[in-house]
Amino acid sequence: MRFSKQRELIQDIVQRTNSHPTANWIFNKAKKEISNISLGTVYRNLSQLNKDGVINIFYDDNIARYDWNTVAHDHLKCNKCGKIIDIKLHNRELKKEVLKQYKFEAENIEITISGICENHMNFKEK
Amino acid sequence: MRFSKQRELIQDIVQRTNSHPTANWIFNKAKKEISNISLGTVYRNLSQLNKDGVINIFYDDNIARYDWNTVAHDHLKCNKCGKIIDIKLHNRELKKEVLKQYKFEAENIEITISGICENHMNFKEK
DNA sequence: ATTAATGCAAATCGTTTGCAGCGGC
DNA sequence: GCCGCTGCAAACGATTTGCATTAAT
């Protein structure tokens, strides 16, 4: 076996959700399959999977969230329900603008937009 | 006196730097003026100042940073030296695009760009 | 005298780490 | 037998909180 079953389980859990889970959420999910799995193992594997480029880490306020989507992308965060939605905004002009205006060589652009998602706009409340 | 001298000192410290300080940095600075000030007081006042709209909080990875600039703006973060630079990017089109394409009502847009700052570009290394 | 804010220490939360033991080659 | 990975528990860093005391009106 190439990888431990713990590692494979953790990778699967992250890759099977769009919910941008926290380590603790993943831990609870994992316990259903391997009841004595430890939180340390979850963190160690998440960190390793990230180093290997298999999954992505980002921070929502001060807590880590994990994402199967390793391609650079952006997030919409609903202030009503907390849901985080993946989106892709084009930013070619942004890199150029930043280089010209601030002499800063952009490597990574992360746009986080908070507001109200479709399901929670006032006029749609049931 | 309207506010405690601790609160006034903390507000002053935040407003007199462009370094986006952490609570601990502020605490150390404050101790030079009020040697027995406590870290709890620093946190309590930073949180209150933020609620009052006097200062801003944002998170750099998983640690809180405080900013005198309460107007929505963006950040450049240098991967070499860690410096965070305030910038203002225009985003009128972004709000429109997000509403049209994702039916999401954007309230706040935060763009964080990481890369290499002017002082740390290769060809400028001394 | 009342009320808010303080210093201090303990508690909490998310995360990391040391270590002895186990599993697969 | 070796080496990597595990579970467990203790340690850690940032932040919050309970409480008895102090400061301001």
Side-chain angles (χ1 to χ4, degrees), chain A residues 41-85:
Chain A
T41 296
V42 171
Y43 274 106
R44 269 186 293 241
N45 278 297
L46 287 171
S47 161
Q48 192 55 51
L49 287 164
N50 177 248
K51 274 183 202 134
D52 295 348
V54 177
I55 64 170
N56 211 252
I57 305 188
F58 70 96
Y59 291 89
D60 177 25
D61 285 353
N62 50 353
I63 95 147
R65 291 186 172 274
Y66 300 85
D67 197 340
W68 56 266
N69 189 350
T70 56
V71 174
H73 63 279
D74 308 295
H75 290 126
L76 301 177
K77 182 181 178 185
C78 179
N79 289 330
K80 299 263 166 145
C81 64
K83 189 162 82 165
I84 295 170
I85 302 157

CSV table of all heavy atoms in Angstrom, one decimal, chain A residues 41-85:
chain,number,residue,atom,x,y,z
A,41,THR,N,-3.0,13.3,13.7
A,41,THR,CA,-2.9,12.6,12.4
A,41,THR,C,-3.6,13.4,11.3
A,41,THR,O,-3.1,13.5,10.2
A,41,THR,CB,-3.5,11.2,12.4
A,41,THR,OG1,-2.7,10.4,13.4
A,41,THR,CG2,-3.4,10.5,11.1
A,42,VAL,N,-4.8,13.9,11.6
A,42,VAL,CA,-5.5,14.7,10.6
A,42,VAL,C,-4.7,15.9,10.2
A,42,VAL,O,-4.5,16.2,9.1
A,42,VAL,CB,-6.9,15.1,11.2
A,42,VAL,CG1,-7.6,16.1,10.3
A,42,VAL,CG2,-7.8,13.9,11.4
A,43,TYR,N,-4.2,16.6,11.2
A,43,TYR,CA,-3.4,17.8,10.9
A,43,TYR,C,-2.1,17.5,10.2
A,43,TYR,O,-1.8,18.1,9.2
A,43,TYR,CB,-3.0,18.5,12.2
A,43,TYR,CG,-4.1,19.5,12.7
A,43,TYR,CD1,-4.9,19.2,13.8
A,43,TYR,CD2,-4.3,20.7,12.0
A,43,TYR,CE1,-5.9,20.1,14.2
A,43,TYR,CE2,-5.3,21.6,12.5
A,43,TYR,CZ,-6.0,21.3,13.5
A,43,TYR,OH,-7.0,22.2,14.0
A,44,ARG,N,-1.4,16.4,10.6
A,44,ARG,CA,-0.2,16.0,9.9
A,44,ARG,C,-0.5,15.7,8.4
A,44,ARG,O,0.3,16.1,7.5
A,44,ARG,CB,0.4,14.8,10.6
A,44,ARG,CG,1.4,15.3,11.7
A,44,ARG,CD,2.2,14.1,12.2
A,44,ARG,NE,1.3,13.2,13.0
A,44,ARG,CZ,1.4,12.9,14.3
A,44,ARG,NH1,2.5,13.4,15.0
A,44,ARG,NH2,0.6,12.1,14.9
A,45,ASN,N,-1.5,15.0,8.2
A,45,ASN,CA,-1.8,14.6,6.8
A,45,ASN,C,-2.3,15.8,6.0
A,45,ASN,O,-2.0,15.9,4.8
A,45,ASN,CB,-2.8,13.5,6.8
A,45,ASN,CG,-2.2,12.1,7.0
A,45,ASN,OD1,-1.4,11.7,6.2
A,45,ASN,ND2,-2.5,11.5,8.1
A,46,LEU,N,-3.1,16.7,6.6
A,46,LEU,CA,-3.6,17.8,5.8
A,46,LEU,C,-2.4,18.7,5.4
A,46,LEU,O,-2.3,19.1,4.3
A,46,LEU,CB,-4.6,18.6,6.7
A,46,LEU,CG,-5.9,18.0,6.9
A,46,LEU,CD1,-6.7,18.8,7.9
A,46,LEU,CD2,-6.7,18.0,5.5
A,47,SER,N,-1.5,18.8,6.3
A,47,SER,CA,-0.3,19.6,6.1
A,47,SER,C,0.6,19.0,5.0
A,47,SER,O,1.1,19.6,4.1
A,47,SER,CB,0.5,19.8,7.4
A,47,SER,OG,1.8,20.1,7.1
A,48,GLN,N,0.7,17.6,5.0
A,48,GLN,CA,1.5,16.9,4.0
A,48,GLN,C,0.8,17.0,2.6
A,48,GLN,O,1.4,17.3,1.6
A,48,GLN,CB,1.7,15.5,4.4
A,48,GLN,CG,2.7,14.7,3.6
A,48,GLN,CD,4.0,15.4,3.6
A,48,GLN,OE1,4.6,15.7,4.6
A,48,GLN,NE2,4.6,15.6,2.4
A,49,LEU,N,-0.5,16.8,2.6
A,49,LEU,CA,-1.3,16.9,1.4
A,49,LEU,C,-1.1,18.3,0.7
A,49,LEU,O,-1.1,18.4,-0.5
A,49,LEU,CB,-2.7,16.5,1.6
A,49,LEU,CG,-3.1,15.1,1.9
A,49,LEU,CD1,-4.4,14.9,2.5
A,49,LEU,CD2,-3.0,14.2,0.6
A,50,ASN,N,-1.1,19.2,1.6
A,50,ASN,CA,-0.9,20.6,1.1
A,50,ASN,C,0.5,20.8,0.5
A,50,ASN,O,0.6,21.3,-0.6
A,50,ASN,CB,-1.2,21.6,2.2
A,50,ASN,CG,-0.9,23.0,1.8
A,50,ASN,OD1,0.0,23.7,2.2
A,50,ASN,ND2,-1.7,23.5,0.8
A,51,LYS,N,1.5,20.3,1.2
A,51,LYS,CA,2.9,20.4,0.7
A,51,LYS,C,3.0,19.7,-0.6
A,51,LYS,O,3.7,20.1,-1.5
A,51,LYS,CB,3.9,19.8,1.7
A,51,LYS,CG,4.3,20.8,2.8
A,51,LYS,CD,5.4,20.2,3.7
A,51,LYS,CE,5.4,20.9,5.0
A,51,LYS,NZ,5.5,20.0,6.2
A,52,ASP,N,2.3,18.6,-0.8
A,52,ASP,CA,2.4,17.8,-2.0
A,52,ASP,C,1.5,18.4,-3.1
A,52,ASP,O,1.5,17.8,-4.2
A,52,ASP,CB,1.9,16.4,-1.8
A,52,ASP,CG,2.8,15.6,-0.8
A,52,ASP,OD1,3.9,16.1,-0.5
A,52,ASP,OD2,2.4,14.5,-0.3
A,53,GLY,N,0.9,19.5,-2.8
A,53,GLY,CA,0.0,20.1,-3.9
A,53,GLY,C,-1.3,19.4,-4.2
A,53,GLY,O,-1.9,19.7,-5.2
A,54,VAL,N,-1.7,18.5,-3.3
A,54,VAL,CA,-2.9,17.8,-3.5
A,54,VAL,C,-4.1,18.6,-3.1
A,54,VAL,O,-5.2,18.5,-3.7
A,54,VAL,CB,-2.9,16.4,-2.8
A,54,VAL,CG1,-4.2,15.7,-3.0
A,54,VAL,CG2,-1.7,15.6,-3.3
A,55,ILE,N,-4.0,19.3,-2.0
A,55,ILE,CA,-5.1,20.2,-1.5
A,55,ILE,C,-4.5,21.6,-1.2
A,55,ILE,O,-3.3,21.8,-1.1
A,55,ILE,CB,-5.8,19.6,-0.3
A,55,ILE,CG1,-4.8,19.5,0.9
A,55,ILE,CG2,-6.4,18.2,-0.6
A,55,ILE,CD1,-5.5,19.2,2.2
A,56,ASN,N,-5.5,22.4,-0.9
A,56,ASN,CA,-5.2,23.8,-0.7
A,56,ASN,C,-5.6,24.2,0.8
A,56,ASN,O,-6.5,23.7,1.3
A,56,ASN,CB,-5.9,24.7,-1.7
A,56,ASN,CG,-5.2,25.9,-2.0
A,56,ASN,OD1,-5.6,27.0,-1.6
A,56,ASN,ND2,-4.1,25.8,-2.7
A,57,ILE,N,-4.8,25.1,1.4
A,57,ILE,CA,-5.2,25.7,2.7
A,57,ILE,C,-5.5,27.2,2.5
A,57,ILE,O,-4.7,27.9,1.8
A,57,ILE,CB,-4.1,25.6,3.7
A,57,ILE,CG1,-3.6,24.2,3.9
A,57,ILE,CG2,-4.6,26.2,5.1
A,57,ILE,CD1,-2.7,24.0,5.1
A,58,PHE,N,-6.5,27.7,3.1
A,58,PHE,CA,-6.7,29.1,3.2
A,58,PHE,C,-7.3,29.4,4.6
A,58,PHE,O,-7.7,28.5,5.3
A,58,PHE,CB,-7.5,29.7,2.1
A,58,PHE,CG,-8.9,29.4,2.1
A,58,PHE,CD1,-9.9,30.3,2.6
A,58,PHE,CD2,-9.4,28.2,1.6
A,58,PHE,CE1,-11.2,29.9,2.6
A,58,PHE,CE2,-10.7,27.8,1.6
A,58,PHE,CZ,-11.6,28.7,2.1
A,59,TYR,N,-7.2,30.7,5.0
A,59,TYR,CA,-7.7,31.1,6.3
A,59,TYR,C,-9.0,31.9,6.2
A,59,TYR,O,-9.0,32.9,5.5
A,59,TYR,CB,-6.6,31.8,7.1
A,59,TYR,CG,-5.5,30.9,7.4
A,59,TYR,CD1,-4.4,30.7,6.6
A,59,TYR,CD2,-5.5,30.2,8.6
A,59,TYR,CE1,-3.4,29.8,6.9
A,59,TYR,CE2,-4.5,29.3,9.0
A,59,TYR,CZ,-3.4,29.2,8.1
A,59,TYR,OH,-2.4,28.3,8.4
A,60,ASP,N,-10.0,31.5,6.9
A,60,ASP,CA,-11.2,32.2,7.0
A,60,ASP,C,-11.2,32.9,8.4
A,60,ASP,O,-11.3,32.2,9.4
A,60,ASP,CB,-12.4,31.2,6.9
A,60,ASP,CG,-13.7,31.9,7.1
A,60,ASP,OD1,-13.9,33.1,6.8
A,60,ASP,OD2,-14.7,31.2,7.5
A,61,ASP,N,-11.0,34.2,8.5
A,61,ASP,CA,-10.6,34.9,9.7
A,61,ASP,C,-9.4,34.2,10.3
A,61,ASP,O,-8.4,34.1,9.6
A,61,ASP,CB,-11.8,34.9,10.7
A,61,ASP,CG,-12.8,36.0,10.2
A,61,ASP,OD1,-12.6,36.7,9.3
A,61,ASP,OD2,-13.9,36.0,10.8
A,62,ASN,N,-9.5,33.6,11.4
A,62,ASN,CA,-8.3,33.0,12.0
A,62,ASN,C,-8.3,31.5,12.0
A,62,ASN,O,-7.5,30.8,12.7
A,62,ASN,CB,-8.0,33.5,13.4
A,62,ASN,CG,-9.2,33.4,14.3
A,62,ASN,OD1,-10.3,33.0,13.8
A,62,ASN,ND2,-9.1,33.7,15.5
A,63,ILE,N,-9.2,30.9,11.2
A,63,ILE,CA,-9.2,29.4,11.2
A,63,ILE,C,-8.9,28.8,9.8
A,63,ILE,O,-9.4,29.3,8.8
A,63,ILE,CB,-10.3,28.8,12.0
A,63,ILE,CG1,-11.5,28.4,11.0
A,63,ILE,CG2,-10.9,29.6,13.1
A,63,ILE,CD1,-12.1,27.1,11.5
A,64,ALA,N,-8.1,27.7,9.8
A,64,ALA,CA,-7.7,27.1,8.6
A,64,ALA,C,-8.9,26.3,7.9
A,64,ALA,O,-9.6,25.6,8.6
A,64,ALA,CB,-6.6,26.2,8.8
A,65,ARG,N,-9.0,26.5,6.6
A,65,ARG,CA,-10.0,25.7,5.8
A,65,ARG,C,-9.2,25.0,4.7
A,65,ARG,O,-8.2,25.6,4.2
A,65,ARG,CB,-11.1,26.6,5.3
A,65,ARG,CG,-12.0,27.1,6.4
A,65,ARG,CD,-13.2,27.9,5.9
A,65,ARG,NE,-14.1,28.2,7.0
A,65,ARG,CZ,-15.0,27.4,7.5
A,65,ARG,NH1,-15.2,26.2,6.9
A,65,ARG,NH2,-15.8,27.7,8.5
A,66,TYR,N,-9.7,23.9,4.3
A,66,TYR,CA,-9.1,23.0,3.3
A,66,TYR,C,-9.9,22.9,2.1
A,66,TYR,O,-11.2,22.8,2.2
A,66,TYR,CB,-8.7,21.7,4.0
A,66,TYR,CG,-7.8,21.9,5.2
A,66,TYR,CD1,-8.3,22.1,6.4
A,66,TYR,CD2,-6.4,21.9,5.0
A,66,TYR,CE1,-7.5,22.4,7.5
A,66,TYR,CE2,-5.6,22.1,6.1
A,66,TYR,CZ,-6.1,22.3,7.3
A,66,TYR,OH,-5.3,22.6,8.4
A,67,ASP,N,-9.3,22.8,1.0
A,67,ASP,CA,-10.0,22.9,-0.3
A,67,ASP,C,-9.4,22.0,-1.3
A,67,ASP,O,-8.1,22.0,-1.5
A,67,ASP,CB,-9.9,24.4,-0.8
A,67,ASP,CG,-10.9,24.8,-1.9
A,67,ASP,OD1,-11.4,23.9,-2.5
A,67,ASP,OD2,-11.1,26.0,-2.1
A,68,TRP,N,-10.2,21.2,-2.0
A,68,TRP,CA,-9.6,20.3,-3.0
A,68,TRP,C,-9.2,21.1,-4.2
A,68,TRP,O,-8.4,20.5,-5.0
A,68,TRP,CB,-10.7,19.3,-3.4
A,68,TRP,CG,-12.0,19.9,-3.9
A,68,TRP,CD1,-13.1,20.2,-3.2
A,68,TRP,CD2,-12.2,20.3,-5.2
A,68,TRP,NE1,-14.0,20.8,-4.0
A,68,TRP,CE2,-13.5,20.9,-5.2
A,68,TRP,CE3,-11.5,20.3,-6.4
A,68,TRP,CZ2,-14.1,21.4,-6.4
A,68,TRP,CZ3,-12.1,20.9,-7.6
A,68,TRP,CH2,-13.4,21.4,-7.5
A,69,ASN,N,-9.7,22.3,-4.4
A,69,ASN,CA,-9.4,23.1,-5.6
A,69,ASN,C,-8.0,23.8,-5.4
A,69,ASN,O,-7.9,24.7,-4.7
A,69,ASN,CB,-10.5,24.1,-5.8
A,69,ASN,CG,-10.4,24.8,-7.1
A,69,ASN,OD1,-9.4,24.6,-7.8
A,69,ASN,ND2,-11.4,25.5,-7.5
A,70,THR,N,-7.0,23.2,-6.1
A,70,THR,CA,-5.7,23.8,-6.0
A,70,THR,C,-5.4,24.8,-7.0
A,70,THR,O,-4.3,25.4,-7.0
A,70,THR,CB,-4.6,22.6,-6.1
A,70,THR,OG1,-4.8,22.0,-7.3
A,70,THR,CG2,-4.8,21.7,-4.9
A,71,VAL,N,-6.3,25.1,-7.9
A,71,VAL,CA,-6.1,26.1,-8.9
A,71,VAL,C,-6.5,27.5,-8.2
A,71,VAL,O,-7.5,27.6,-7.5
A,71,VAL,CB,-7.0,25.9,-10.1
A,71,VAL,CG1,-6.9,27.1,-11.1
A,71,VAL,CG2,-6.6,24.6,-10.8
A,72,ALA,N,-5.7,28.5,-8.5
A,72,ALA,CA,-5.9,29.8,-7.9
A,72,ALA,C,-7.3,30.3,-8.2
A,72,ALA,O,-7.8,30.2,-9.4
A,72,ALA,CB,-4.9,30.8,-8.4
A,73,HIS,N,-8.1,30.6,-7.2
A,73,HIS,CA,-9.4,31.1,-7.4
A,73,HIS,C,-9.9,32.0,-6.3
A,73,HIS,O,-9.1,32.3,-5.4
A,73,HIS,CB,-10.4,29.9,-7.6
A,73,HIS,CG,-10.5,29.1,-6.3
A,73,HIS,ND1,-9.5,28.1,-6.0
A,73,HIS,CD2,-11.4,29.0,-5.4
A,73,HIS,CE1,-9.9,27.5,-4.9
A,73,HIS,NE2,-11.0,28.1,-4.4
A,74,ASP,N,-11.1,32.5,-6.4
A,74,ASP,CA,-11.6,33.5,-5.4
A,74,ASP,C,-12.8,33.0,-4.6
A,74,ASP,O,-13.3,31.9,-5.0
A,74,ASP,CB,-11.9,34.8,-6.2
A,74,ASP,CG,-10.7,35.2,-7.0
A,74,ASP,OD1,-9.6,35.5,-6.5
A,74,ASP,OD2,-10.8,35.2,-8.3
A,75,HIS,N,-13.2,33.7,-3.6
A,75,HIS,CA,-14.3,33.3,-2.8
A,75,HIS,C,-15.3,34.3,-2.5
A,75,HIS,O,-15.0,35.5,-2.4
A,75,HIS,CB,-13.7,32.8,-1.4
A,75,HIS,CG,-12.9,31.6,-1.5
A,75,HIS,ND1,-11.6,31.5,-1.0
A,75,HIS,CD2,-13.2,30.4,-2.0
A,75,HIS,CE1,-11.1,30.2,-1.2
A,75,HIS,NE2,-12.1,29.5,-1.8
A,76,LEU,N,-16.5,33.9,-2.5
A,76,LEU,CA,-17.7,34.7,-2.1
A,76,LEU,C,-18.1,34.1,-0.7
A,76,LEU,O,-18.3,32.9,-0.6
A,76,LEU,CB,-18.9,34.5,-3.0
A,76,LEU,CG,-18.7,34.9,-4.5
A,76,LEU,CD1,-20.0,34.7,-5.2
A,76,LEU,CD2,-18.3,36.4,-4.6
A,77,LYS,N,-18.2,35.0,0.3
A,77,LYS,CA,-18.6,34.5,1.6
A,77,LYS,C,-19.9,35.2,2.0
A,77,LYS,O,-19.9,36.5,2.1
A,77,LYS,CB,-17.5,34.8,2.6
A,77,LYS,CG,-17.9,34.3,4.0
A,77,LYS,CD,-16.9,34.5,5.1
A,77,LYS,CE,-17.4,34.0,6.4
A,77,LYS,NZ,-16.5,34.3,7.5
A,78,CYS,N,-20.9,34.5,2.3
A,78,CYS,CA,-22.2,35.1,2.7
A,78,CYS,C,-22.2,35.5,4.2
A,78,CYS,O,-21.8,34.7,5.0
A,78,CYS,CB,-23.3,34.1,2.4
A,78,CYS,SG,-24.9,34.8,2.9
A,79,ASN,N,-22.5,36.7,4.4
A,79,ASN,CA,-22.5,37.2,5.8
A,79,ASN,C,-23.7,36.7,6.6
A,79,ASN,O,-23.7,36.8,7.8
A,79,ASN,CB,-22.6,38.7,5.8
A,79,ASN,CG,-21.2,39.3,5.4
A,79,ASN,OD1,-20.2,38.8,5.6
A,79,ASN,ND2,-21.3,40.5,4.8
A,80,LYS,N,-24.7,36.1,5.9
A,80,LYS,CA,-25.9,35.6,6.6
A,80,LYS,C,-25.7,34.2,7.0
A,80,LYS,O,-26.0,33.8,8.1
A,80,LYS,CB,-27.1,35.7,5.7
A,80,LYS,CG,-27.5,37.2,5.3
A,80,LYS,CD,-28.5,37.8,6.2
A,80,LYS,CE,-28.5,39.3,6.0
A,80,LYS,NZ,-29.8,39.9,6.1
A,81,CYS,N,-25.2,33.3,6.1
A,81,CYS,CA,-25.1,31.9,6.4
A,81,CYS,C,-23.7,31.4,6.5
A,81,CYS,O,-23.5,30.2,6.8
A,81,CYS,CB,-25.9,31.1,5.3
A,81,CYS,SG,-25.3,31.2,3.7
A,82,GLY,N,-22.7,32.2,6.2
A,82,GLY,CA,-21.3,31.8,6.3
A,82,GLY,C,-20.8,30.9,5.2
A,82,GLY,O,-19.6,30.6,5.2
A,83,LYS,N,-21.7,30.6,4.3
A,83,LYS,CA,-21.3,29.8,3.2
A,83,LYS,C,-20.2,30.4,2.3
A,83,LYS,O,-20.2,31.6,2.1
A,83,LYS,CB,-22.5,29.4,2.3
A,83,LYS,CG,-22.2,28.4,1.2
A,83,LYS,CD,-23.4,27.8,0.7
A,83,LYS,CE,-24.0,28.6,-0.4
A,83,LYS,NZ,-25.0,27.9,-1.2
A,84,ILE,N,-19.2,29.6,1.9
A,84,ILE,CA,-18.2,30.1,1.0
A,84,ILE,C,-18.3,29.5,-0.3
A,84,ILE,O,-18.4,28.2,-0.5
A,84,ILE,CB,-16.8,29.8,1.6
A,84,ILE,CG1,-16.6,30.5,3.0
A,84,ILE,CG2,-15.7,30.1,0.7
A,84,ILE,CD1,-15.4,30.1,3.8
A,85,ILE,N,-18.3,30.3,-1.4
A,85,ILE,CA,-18.6,29.8,-2.7
A,85,ILE,C,-17.3,30.1,-3.6
A,85,ILE,O,-16.8,31.2,-3.5
A,85,ILE,CB,-19.8,30.6,-3.3
A,85,ILE,CG1,-21.0,30.3,-2.5
A,85,ILE,CG2,-20.0,30.1,-4.8
A,85,ILE,CD1,-22.1,31.4,-2.7
